[in-house]
Amino acid sequence: MMKSIKTIFMVIMLSLCWVHGSQAATYYMRADGTAPNKEAATGPPSDKSKCMSVAVHNGAKFSPGDIIKISEQGGSIISQIIPPSSGSEAGGCITYAAADGESPLIDAGRRITSWDGTGTPGVYYSDPVDSYVNHVYEDGLPLKIASNSTCSDGNWYYNSSEFRKVYYKPTSGMPSDHIVSYAKNQIRGLIDLTNRSYIIISGLTIRNGEYCIINSNPSVNTSYLTIRNCVFNYSMCGIYMSMGGEITNSNLTLENNYYYRCQAANHLYGTSNDNYIIRNNIVEDGGTIDGIDRWARNGAWQDEEAFGLQNPVNCLIESNIVKGGFQKAIFLYANDGYAASNNTIRNNFIYNTIARAIQMEGDGNYALDNNRVYSNVIINTGKKGALGGSYGFYLRQGLNSSEMNYIENNVIFGCDDTYPIYLGFISGSNHYWTIRNNIIANYGSVAAIGIASYTNQLILDYNCWDTDGLFWLPSGQKTLAQMQALGFEKHSMVANPQFINAGGSKATDYRLQTISPCIGKGCPVGLITDFQGNKWRNPPSIGAIEYYKTGGVISPRTVGGSNYKQK
């Protein structure tokens, strides 16, 4: 109930932001705007003399409720946008949005325009550039890195000790035929929200950035930042929030965004991240530049994550789609002395990713308390080759944990490397995990579940496993009967769950056929609606989708894609 009240309050506050914004002043900005000040930037966007430049914007002051509309008509914006003012609870949010009917592009790549020949046919080198070049782009698309300056096995190479030169082999023609740019390992946001609150970013496309939108090490508490309907392409990180010391970032909303081939979609770090809503986002081919090859790092970090949250409290992660690439889909992490608690992860579709689907762990004396993970459909994740092992669920409890966590009514299909579910531990910690009503099917030959250690707090029951004899405990592999003799899985089964299209690429393929043994065999756990938004029966079925003869109502999240296209 408390979480519902907080969610309702956030929705009311965001609604107030839009109401106030509709009554306030509207200004226009474009890359080549010539308006001398904001007062002259009243539009229309087709007239650059009535639009401000980024520089004029960054030097101005805005009032709560103001709207800044960004136009595509002056070309791509390549300058850093730094909102100079915050909105307020009383006056409403300051909104940055695409001009009506437009799709403005913010292009973060740092241009390289001067090239000389190297002596190797078709290969050129630049004048000295920054240290730690992280990636090179040609016409907005990331190029494959080469192993040396001959570029025989790739299209670019950089050696920081060699006068900081970039070597480049065009995919066609000469360097002058292309726009060549690079990203470096630097926390520099194309939109920098540091120390800002009550800001809405909507309808923008950002590509080729080190970090697209940031709130990095603010000196004051920040709150009510909303990023919606945006596209992030070919960037090191889409959204980066990092709170230092005891600074708090609260009431962040990320919704309806599309992330394409970014090294990481969202890094939400810091000692306190409270009351986030993360919903209806799509992350595709994360961690890769082309769906296969991973990002070249050259000194950059290696956190390839779709949604990575540090010390989250009262956060809701729901109805997101993560597909393809080399990325952990959802990662909750607690630092030493902190907790990840009272979070909900529900109704997400995670498909065909190489690394772990859902990971919850921490460092030292941390706690994972009262987190609920339910009605998620996880298909073909945890593939061979993932750093640190794969797994569908990777769960590791901390020493300070004192409350139960719940993993219920999920589908895990096709984790073929190690374990669909792995329970790790820190010596001395208790296993506050309740794992019920899940379908775990089509896993590899290693094990269905790996339990490194367990205590009396661990509950396993009402699950459907499709192969027997693959329950791994410290004392060896067990059958279902042997697990039941130990007090686990009393009402569980080993059976084919009979999905309507096992192995399919849609979440709705994992509905149950009429002959499924999982129908009505679950334990009531207090859930109201399933993955599709249909009501659970009493008793419920095992799995993420309740059985209905007609298939039930299919919500848009199960069949839809993004309305936003990469540029």
Side-chain angles (χ1 to χ4, degrees):
M1 176 63 71
M2 182 60 69
K3 186 159 190 172
S4 298
I5 292 172
K6 289 181 178 179
T7 301
I8 292 169
F9 177 72
M10 289 179 67
V11 172
I12 292 172
M13 286 305 306
L14 294 174
S15 299
L16 288 175
C17 287
W18 285 109
V19 170
H20 283 290
S22 65
Q23 299 171 346
T26 298
Y27 305 98
Y28 288 84
M29 177 167 63
R30 53 186 264 180
D32 62 349
T34 59
N37 50 54
K38 72 172 188 179
E39 289 75 17
T42 56
S46 58
D47 186 347
K48 69 177 182 179
S49 69
K50 294 184 178 180
C51 297
M52 59 186 159
S53 65
V54 174
V56 168
H57 162 271
N58 291 352
K61 294 294 182 183
F62 296 92
S63 300
D66 283 351
I67 299 174
I68 295 92
K69 292 194 173 183
I70 301 174
S71 175
E72 65 184 12
Q73 296 186 52
S76 300
I77 291 176
I78 61 174
S79 303
Q80 186 181 32
I81 298 173
I82 305 175
S85 310
S86 291
S88 69
E89 180 177 352
C93 294
I94 296 175
T95 298
Y96 291 78
D100 296 347
E102 298 190 20
S103 301
L105 172 64
I106 302 173
D107 192 337
R110 304 162 191 257
R111 303 295 194 264
I112 305 175
T113 58
S114 178
W115 299 96
D116 293 303
T118 63
T120 300
V123 179
Y124 305 85
Y125 70 89
S126 70
D127 290 335
V129 296
D130 287 299
S131 58
Y132 300 109
V133 169
N134 186 265
H135 212 84
V136 174
Y137 304 90
E138 181 185 78
D139 302 325
L141 298 177
L143 294 171
K144 182 178 180 180
I145 191 172
S147 59
N148 58 58
S149 60
T150 66
C151 294
S152 60
D153 56 353
N155 292 91
W156 72 277
Y157 177 77
Y158 172 79
N159 188 334
S160 60
S161 63
E162 191 180 356
F163 306 108
R164 299 185 299 176
K165 293 180 180 178
V166 171
Y167 292 85
Y168 164 54
K169 182 173 70 176
T171 59
S172 65
M174 304 285 290
S176 58
D177 297 327
H178 303 280
I179 297 174
V180 183
S181 59
Y182 69 94
K184 62 179 292 187
N185 185 26
Q186 180 186 32
I187 298 177
R188 171 185 178 268
L190 269 296
I191 301 178
D192 189 345
L193 300 178
T194 302
N195 291 326
R196 297 291 170 253
S197 295
Y198 292 93
I199 299 285
I200 295 173
I201 309 294
S202 179
L204 306 181
T205 296
I206 306 175
R207 75 178 184 190
N208 301 168
E210 290 101 5
Y211 301 84
C212 296
I213 298 178
I214 69 168
N215 178 17
S216 179
N217 294 316
S219 57
V220 297
N221 293 336
T222 58
S223 61
Y224 291 102
L225 300 175
T226 297
I227 302 166
R228 59 161 62 106
N229 303 331
C230 291
V231 176
F232 303 91
N233 292 326
Y234 301 116
S235 296
M236 283 174 54
C237 185
I239 298 171
Y240 178 81
M241 304 276 167
S242 179
M243 308 298 111
E246 297 303 314
I247 298 297
T248 297
N249 187 43
S250 63
N251 300 294
L252 171 71
T253 297
L254 308 177
E255 60 183 0
N256 300 325
N257 300 299
Y258 178 59
Y259 307 80
Y260 186 68
R261 294 182 176 173
C262 296
Q263 181 175 353
N266 300 277
H267 279 158
L268 309 175
Y269 292 170
T271 53
S272 184
N273 293 290
D274 302 343
N275 299 305
Y276 289 3
I277 294 178
I278 302 173
R279 63 158 63 105
N280 296 330
N281 302 283
I282 297 177
V283 182
E284 187 170 359
D285 286 349
T288 72
I289 63 172
D290 58 4
I292 300 173
D293 287 334
R294 295 170 62 193
W295 276 72
R297 297 190 192 86
N298 294 347
W301 57 19
Q302 301 181 20
D303 291 345
E304 294 152 318
E305 299 162 358
F307 304 101
L309 286 76
Q310 200 172 63
N311 308 313
V313 177
N314 296 322
C315 294
L316 174 62
I317 305 172
E318 68 171 355
S319 304
N320 301 286
I321 298 174
V322 181
K323 58 182 178 179
F326 196 109
Q327 57 186 331
K328 296 175 183 176
I330 299 172
F331 187 13
L332 304 189
Y333 188 88
N335 291 105
D336 189 12
Y338 291 88
S341 60
N342 302 313
N343 302 293
T344 298
I345 302 172
R346 68 186 183 193
N347 303 333
N348 300 285
F349 179 44
I350 304 169
Y351 172 70
N352 207 30
T353 61
I354 290 178
R356 301 167 184 176
I358 296 177
Q359 180 170 346
M360 300 167 63
E361 65 163 333
D363 178 34
N365 297 318
Y366 66 94
L368 300 174
D369 287 335
N370 195 34
N371 297 292
R372 301 205 71 177
V373 183
Y374 62 88
S375 299
N376 300 283
V377 179
I378 300 169
I379 309 300
N380 293 335
T381 65
K383 308 299 259 184
K384 289 180 172 66
L387 286 176
S390 53
Y391 316 106
F393 280 87
Y394 182 92
L395 310 170
R396 191 168 72 110
Q397 193 57 275
L399 290 172
N400 290 350
S401 298
S402 60
E403 298 182 41
M404 187 61 73
N405 300 274
Y406 301 89
I407 313 296
E408 296 169 326
N409 287 97
N410 302 283
V411 168
I412 309 171
F413 181 92
C415 179
D416 67 358
D417 188 3
T418 48
Y419 310 108
I421 300 175
Y422 179 78
L423 302 180
F425 75 105
I426 291 178
S427 180
S429 64
N430 290 314
H431 275 275
Y432 288 99
W433 299 108
T434 292
I435 301 176
R436 297 181 295 193
N437 294 352
N438 303 285
I439 296 177
I440 304 94
N442 199 44
Y443 35 86
S445 61
V446 177
I449 182 170
I451 304 173
S453 175
Y454 62 89
T455 59
N456 292 334
Q457 289 78 19
L458 178 62
I459 298 173
L460 300 170
D461 209 354
Y462 293 92
N463 300 298
C464 175
W465 312 84
D466 76 347
T467 304
D468 202 1
L470 294 177
F471 300 90
W472 187 88
L473 270 65
S475 57
Q477 295 202 160
K478 308 293 183 184
T479 64
L480 177 61
Q482 289 171 323
M483 293 292 287
Q484 291 173 336
L486 293 171
F488 300 116
E489 306 283 11
K490 289 291 188 180
H491 303 90
S492 296
M493 67 178 75
V494 173
N496 182 338
Q498 299 291 343
F499 296 121
I500 66 168
N501 185 26
S505 60
K506 298 183 296 183
T508 50
D509 290 328
Y510 297 88
R511 290 175 288 160
L512 302 174
Q513 296 185 57
T514 303
I515 60 173
S516 172
C518 298
I519 296 171
K521 297 300 183 180
C523 171
V525 294
L527 303 181
I528 299 174
T529 57
D530 69 357
F531 178 88
Q532 292 187 176
N534 297 309
K535 289 185 177 181
W536 286 105
R537 299 183 186 276
N538 188 13
S541 296
I542 299 173
I545 303 175
E546 182 57 276
Y547 172 75
Y548 285 86
K549 287 185 178 180
T550 60
V553 176
I554 300 177
S555 66
R557 67 170 170 262
T558 68
V559 296
S562 173
N563 291 321
Y564 305 100
K565 297 179 180 179
Q566 60 269 18
K567 282 191 173 183

